[in-house]
Amino acid sequence: MGSMTSGQGAGQLETRGIEPVPEGECNGHPLQLFWVWFAANISILGLPLGATLVAFRGLAIWQAVIVAILGAAGSFAVVGIISIAGRRGRAPSLTLSRAIFGVRGNIGPTLVSLMSRLGWETVNTTTAAFVLLSLCSILFGSAVEAKSAPVLTLIFIGIFVLLTLAVSGLGHATLLVIQKWATYVFGALNILVGGFLCATIDWSAVFNAAPAPLSAMIIGIGTMAAGTGIGWANAGADMSRYQHRSVKAARLVASAAFGAGIPLVLLITLGGLLSVGNNDLAAATDPIIAIRDMLPTWMAVPYLITAFGGLLLSNNLSVYSAGLTTLTLGLKVKRVHAVIVDIVAIFAGSIYFMLIADSFYGPFITFISLLAVPITAWVGIFVVDLIHRHYYSAKDLLDVSPSSAYWYRGGVEWRAFGAWAVAIVLGFSFTTIGTTADNIWFAGPLSDSWLGHNGLGWIVTFLVAGGLYAVLGGASDRRPALVEGAHV
């Protein structure tokens, strides 16, 4: 689980695992979190999100901007709310979740969260390797394919995972510094690339576009939220556990909402502008190549470097969070070793999908999007619980035996776990699962309803999970108490 000491300087190894951080080491401030969330969302892959709003939902650009603000920045406000628990309990999100679900009941949400993190990390890693292969194609003047150049592919996968390990392995303090300064570099490159992309926009079509109905905007908000902040919600407390006790809750919420919201709103808006009268980006199976083809040939190299950097910054934070989640599952190793375990998993997954499997993005994105249902149910319960809970017992968070205050009945808090299970079942009832319209794996009985048809089942999941947990009384008895090791 890691020792109780922690190197806090950048470049020093963070040896703390999931055990709560002593108050004397909690000197963080919200601006640090602003840069962390900004960096994690600066990837130019935000462009396809905006493209879908205009190309497939028919939104006018002003509508796309509103949808981006409410969907992307709004969903990251939820990440900020969960960050409040990190400042209170000084532990990672899924470790604090033991207090809600019980030390055994929490295994379900933790396992789902870890699978989701590893899934998106595999997406980042394979995409980054494809970026480097594309860069080689430009530099060498001939196409370089993954399966025709397996050694080169392995090298590129290795480069990306080693760069990720160098930051995520060292831990919190290093992550704060790298994410901040790398944002300046890759942010500037994004502005440069974005400027050239603006030259391809059909401005007359932008200003003449008719607005879509309100229902399309509502659907768009759901799509943006599910594709941005909801996927990061279970990492909210992982970074905020080092925040100073005096930091206000509103500032934690703002650091996430504005930190992630600013780059996402700009990128989503640009993606929408590029797609007015042109569906190529929204329909592309490989958005990296689709965006590259919009640029002058000489701009392709800085563009690909920008794309690689954005993917790396996102992966840094995701792998760090995954390491803490792995420890919460009960793996008895140091934090850095848990990070290495996760790195090995995504390295193996990337090799399979790039060198062995016939296809990747369709099936895999479907799989990790599927995990959004149980994650959203967890978020609903966690947020409702946070309203009433003002302390976490540090000793009991780490005690997984029947003597823990969070053992409840058989290690499970049945009100939380029951609400989670019911919400998942209902959420999947509104869900259609498949790689294409012609390859449907599963269709819930309510998938043809308005909510299901427009992909809004996750909202039902969120409301049912939190509402049922509150009705069952799960959040009504969380009064502060004088508990040894508690953090208020």
Side-chain angles (χ1 to χ4, degrees):
M1 211 174 282
S3 70
M4 292 299 288
T5 61
S6 177
Q8 289 304 292
Q12 294 178 302
L13 180 66
E14 179 191 19
T15 56
R16 174 167 293 105
I18 61 173
E19 59 270 20
V21 183
E23 288 291 337
E25 295 182 24
C26 298
N27 300 308
H29 53 83
L31 186 58
Q32 293 172 326
L33 299 183
F34 172 89
W35 290 116
V36 164
W37 294 120
F38 197 107
N41 291 279
I42 203 172
S43 170
I44 207 162
L45 289 179
L47 294 175
L49 286 174
T52 61
L53 292 178
V54 172
F56 297 153
R57 299 299 176 190
L59 301 186
I61 198 61
W62 64 268
Q63 293 177 308
V65 173
I66 294 174
V67 165
I69 293 172
L70 296 179
S75 64
F76 265 96
V78 176
V79 177
I81 291 172
I82 293 177
S83 297
I84 298 169
R87 189 210 59 195
R88 289 180 182 173
R90 303 303 186 195
S93 302
L94 271 302
T95 305
L96 296 174
S97 183
R98 286 176 172 175
I100 304 171
F101 288 86
V103 295
R104 286 182 173 175
N106 191 53
I107 293 174
T110 304
L111 185 60
V112 168
S113 295
L114 180 60
M115 292 170 66
S116 177
R117 289 264 69 85
L118 292 177
W120 285 114
E121 289 155 18
T122 303
V123 171
N124 287 340
T125 304
T126 54
T127 305
F130 279 125
V131 166
L132 293 180
L133 288 171
S134 182
L135 188 59
C136 279
S137 298
I138 294 173
L139 296 179
F140 298 149
S142 61
V144 180
E145 302 291 339
K147 292 184 179 180
S148 62
V151 175
L152 193 60
T153 300
L154 288 173
I155 292 173
F156 287 159
I157 294 173
I159 289 173
F160 188 77
V161 298
L162 286 175
L163 289 173
T164 301
L165 178 62
V167 177
S168 303
L170 286 174
H172 181 268
T174 302
L175 192 64
L176 292 180
V177 173
I178 294 296
Q179 298 293 91
K180 175 182 177 180
W181 292 104
T183 298
Y184 292 147
V185 175
F186 292 107
L189 286 172
N190 267 285
I191 292 173
L192 177 65
V193 172
F196 278 89
L197 288 173
C198 284
T200 68
I201 295 171
D202 184 347
W203 291 103
S204 62
V206 169
F207 294 120
N208 293 325
L214 179 62
S215 60
M217 293 183 66
I218 295 173
I219 296 166
I221 291 170
T223 302
M224 292 302 103
T228 55
I230 295 300
W232 281 107
N234 48 24
D238 297 358
M239 296 303 297
S240 65
R241 61 200 173 116
Y242 283 96
Q243 291 289 293
H244 194 273
R245 177 190 292 269
S246 64
V247 172
K248 302 296 184 183
R251 297 186 67 191
L252 290 175
V253 175
S255 66
F258 286 97
I262 290 173
L264 282 173
V265 169
L266 291 175
L267 288 167
I268 290 170
T269 300
L270 179 57
L273 288 168
L274 293 171
S275 295
V276 176
N278 183 355
N279 295 352
D280 291 347
L281 178 57
T285 55
D286 186 345
I288 291 286
I289 299 300
I291 297 168
R292 190 194 72 183
D293 291 343
M294 297 179 183
L295 293 166
T297 303
W298 65 271
M299 270 296 297
V301 172
Y303 158 68
L304 291 171
I305 293 173
T306 303
F308 182 87
L311 291 164
L312 183 61
L313 293 177
S314 178
N315 224 44
N316 287 341
L317 182 58
S318 185
V319 170
Y320 177 76
S321 177
L324 298 173
T325 304
T326 300
L327 291 177
T328 302
L329 274 178
L331 192 64
K332 303 297 183 182
V333 297
K334 294 181 179 180
R335 185 200 62 81
V336 66
H337 295 156
V339 169
I340 293 173
V341 170
D342 295 324
I343 285 288
V344 170
I346 62 177
F347 187 84
S350 299
I351 290 174
Y352 173 78
F353 286 109
M354 293 191 75
L355 298 179
I356 300 174
D358 293 329
S359 61
F360 168 58
Y361 286 105
F364 209 65
I365 294 296
T366 298
F367 169 69
I368 52 184
S369 298
L370 178 65
L371 298 179
V373 173
I375 290 174
T376 303
W378 175 85
V379 170
I381 293 168
F382 196 99
V383 169
V384 169
D385 185 85
L386 183 64
I387 295 171
H388 298 271
R389 185 186 299 275
H390 297 279
Y391 82 94
Y392 297 85
S393 169
K395 174 178 69 68
D396 293 304
L397 284 174
L398 301 180
D399 184 359
V400 295
S401 73
S403 63
S404 172
Y406 302 134
W407 183 257
Y408 301 114
R409 294 184 180 179
V412 181
E413 215 296 3
W414 290 102
R415 292 171 296 186
F417 191 85
W420 186 63
V422 170
I424 290 172
V425 171
L426 189 58
F428 281 134
S429 296
F430 286 93
T431 303
T432 300
I433 304 166
T435 56
T436 65
D438 299 322
N439 185 23
I440 302 298
W441 299 351
F442 166 81
L446 300 175
S447 59
D448 284 334
S449 65
W450 185 84
L451 289 171
H453 182 71
N454 293 296
L456 298 179
W458 68 273
I459 294 180
V460 177
T461 305
F462 179 87
L463 295 176
V464 169
L468 184 57
Y469 179 60
V471 168
L472 292 174
S476 63
D477 53 0
R478 306 304 186 214
R479 313 278 274 162
L482 293 177
V483 180
E484 182 182 358
H487 294 285
V488 178

